[in-house]
Amino acid sequence: MIGEKMAKQIIFADGNDFLRRDGLAVEPAAWEDGMRTDAGPGTFEWWYFDAWLDDGSTAVIVYATKPLRQRNDPLTPMITLTITRPDGSKLGTAPLVYPADQFKAAQDCCQVNIGSSWVRGDLHHYELHAEGKELAADLTFTGQAPSWRPGAGKTYFDNALSSYFAWLVPIPYGQVEGTLTYDGKTHSVKGAGYHDHNWGNLGLERVISHWYWGRAHVGDFTVIFVEIETGRSHGRQKIPIFMLAEKDRILVDKGQALTLKTADFQDHQSGKRYPRSLDFHWQASAGTVHIKLRQPRLIDTFSLLESMPRWKQWLIRLIANPYYFRFNAEMELDVKLAETQVVERGPALYEFMLLN
């Protein structure tokens, strides 16, 4: 069998056979950030961008073929544009949904149009325009760390290799500049940013219980750390994903040796709980990497049901209450590899997504 098989029909697409299966080279190519699904019933796809700016403001922009929990719908293109002012107050969280005929996307590169909003890029350089209610973002992202995907970029949830969740990270860390429009004014901004692209053809809430996903750039190092835990149907298996780069060179990109310990849980008014202490540890023959996350500050939280009609929210809450938490935390990165031994400290961004 090709690839590495995990218990309960989870197969992580790694190795040359999987690369050949999808026509991939070891390093990502620009076409991979083009449209990867047909946007029909049963599929989902989104292009995600976020920017952390020197004036203290932030922007999160998502171009999607449909809401995440409505994958069985036909093409239902949507934009979300969220701007946080320098004082921490948030603007514009409701998704803007458009008719299907106002969606267009290329397959040979990232070029997505939804209504009057658009994004285009080539893995290294991206330009985007996004409009919301009395909000707008006109930003340029330029990559400063190598584009990356874990293996062939897919995790399969069946032996037939037909049901999958895929991930590409064109810009793990980059520079951002441009303008944000809010409160009736256009603000010139610059800072740091991130872009990734996800797609798939299965209900994530049916196979995944929750995930922790985080990223940071400290000193010369860019790091992405993820632990996905599957649901009962797949035996509560853990899927680790990890990337560490120094400047333009990837040092570690095999996540199998990554583990996570959580502690100091905090109750939330939603009825959910989240940890305030997280330790990711990677250990292999090449050495160790330890990521310590402390003093998290909750910067965003919402129910994944908010975009649904109220009657549907009520029905789903009878059996599930999917919730999203986003944090900014203090991070200590301790790298002990053969040619690199360093400790760096700085801020990290991470999320805790509970899908059921």
Side-chain angles (χ1 to χ4, degrees):
M1 176 174 293
I2 55 180
E4 176 182 347
K5 180 178 177 181
M6 299 175 71
K8 300 291 185 179
Q9 297 181 320
I10 300 171
I11 301 171
F12 180 66
D14 194 16
N16 290 333
D17 287 340
F18 275 110
L19 292 173
R20 283 192 292 268
R21 176 185 174 89
D22 282 345
L24 304 174
V26 173
E27 296 183 0
W31 68 265
E32 297 178 49
D33 205 21
M35 191 168 182
R36 305 296 298 275
T37 70
D38 63 8
T43 70
F44 62 86
E45 188 162 8
W46 69 80
W47 293 259
Y48 170 95
F49 295 82
D50 72 38
W52 292 78
L53 304 161
D54 293 349
D55 67 354
S57 64
T58 68
V60 177
I61 306 103
V62 183
Y63 304 79
T65 58
K66 63 191 67 172
L68 178 60
R69 291 188 68 90
Q70 296 171 230
R71 70 179 182 91
N72 289 321
D73 289 356
L75 174 63
T76 312
M78 54 172 277
I79 290 281
T80 58
L81 169 59
T82 305
I83 294 175
T84 303
R85 299 184 183 98
D87 66 4
S89 55
K90 188 169 63 172
L91 300 165
T93 58
L96 299 176
V97 179
Y98 292 82
D101 62 6
Q102 293 192 36
F103 175 86
K104 183 189 298 184
Q107 293 183 327
D108 60 347
C109 66
C110 178
Q111 187 168 330
V112 182
N113 294 73
I114 301 178
S116 57
S117 299
W118 52 267
V119 59
R120 56 177 177 255
D122 61 3
L123 295 187
H124 177 68
H125 182 82
Y126 288 79
E127 298 175 353
L128 66 79
H129 171 76
E131 295 182 11
K133 295 180 179 179
E134 300 181 347
L135 303 175
D138 291 274
L139 300 172
T140 298
F141 288 68
T142 303
Q144 302 295 305
S147 299
W148 175 74
R149 64 172 130 69
K154 288 181 178 177
T155 301
Y156 292 97
F157 289 84
D158 64 346
N159 286 332
L161 306 182
S162 60
S163 299
Y164 67 87
F165 179 38
W167 187 35
L168 171 73
V169 189
I171 299 185
Y173 168 73
Q175 295 179 344
V176 178
E177 61 181 349
T179 62
L180 297 179
T181 300
Y182 58 91
D183 294 335
K185 298 179 181 179
T186 297
H187 308 259
S188 295
V189 294
K190 63 179 181 178
Y194 170 92
H195 162 47
D196 70 10
H197 179 184
N198 289 94
W199 66 98
N201 65 353
L202 77 169
L204 295 180
E205 74 281 358
R206 295 187 176 187
V207 296
I208 294 174
S209 167
H210 62 269
W211 70 58
Y212 295 93
W213 165 91
R215 64 177 180 83
H217 180 80
V218 289
D220 292 330
F221 295 89
T222 299
V223 61
I224 297 173
F225 43 93
V226 182
E227 184 181 89
I228 300 171
E229 183 170 315
T230 64
R232 292 179 182 175
S233 64
H234 286 71
R236 299 289 186 187
Q237 295 292 312
K238 290 180 170 57
I239 305 172
I241 303 172
F242 186 54
M243 190 276 282
L244 174 68
E246 183 179 11
K247 296 182 179 178
D248 60 355
R249 183 169 63 103
I250 293 178
L251 303 180
V252 177
D253 69 348
K254 301 295 184 183
Q256 293 89 336
L258 185 71
T259 59
L260 169 63
K261 291 184 179 180
T262 57
D264 189 17
F265 278 78
Q266 173 77 42
D267 293 326
H268 185 260
Q269 62 186 15
S270 64
K272 303 295 186 181
R273 304 176 73 228
Y274 59 82
R276 293 180 50 81
S277 172
L278 294 88
D279 287 88
F280 287 86
H281 187 74
W282 182 91
Q283 183 168 355
S285 59
T288 64
V289 180
H290 191 86
I291 297 168
K292 182 167 69 175
L293 298 169
R294 298 293 187 271
Q295 299 180 347
R297 181 170 63 90
L298 184 59
I299 56 176
D300 198 8
T301 180
F302 56 85
S303 168
L304 271 65
L305 305 181
E306 288 180 358
S307 63
M308 294 183 173
R310 289 187 179 274
W311 66 269
K312 189 175 287 188
Q313 293 184 34
W314 182 82
L315 284 175
I316 293 177
R317 282 198 175 103
L318 293 176
I319 57 174
N321 183 23
Y323 229 82
Y324 174 88
F325 297 91
R326 173 181 284 241
F327 303 89
N328 204 358
E330 294 300 317
M331 182 187 77
E332 180 180 278
L333 174 66
D334 187 349
V335 180
K336 290 184 172 65
L337 302 175
E339 298 180 1
T340 305
Q341 298 192 21
V342 67
V343 176
E344 296 280 4
R345 296 177 178 86
L349 176 74
Y350 72 92
E351 68 182 29
F352 179 33
M353 173 80 86
L354 297 108
L355 289 168
N356 49 49

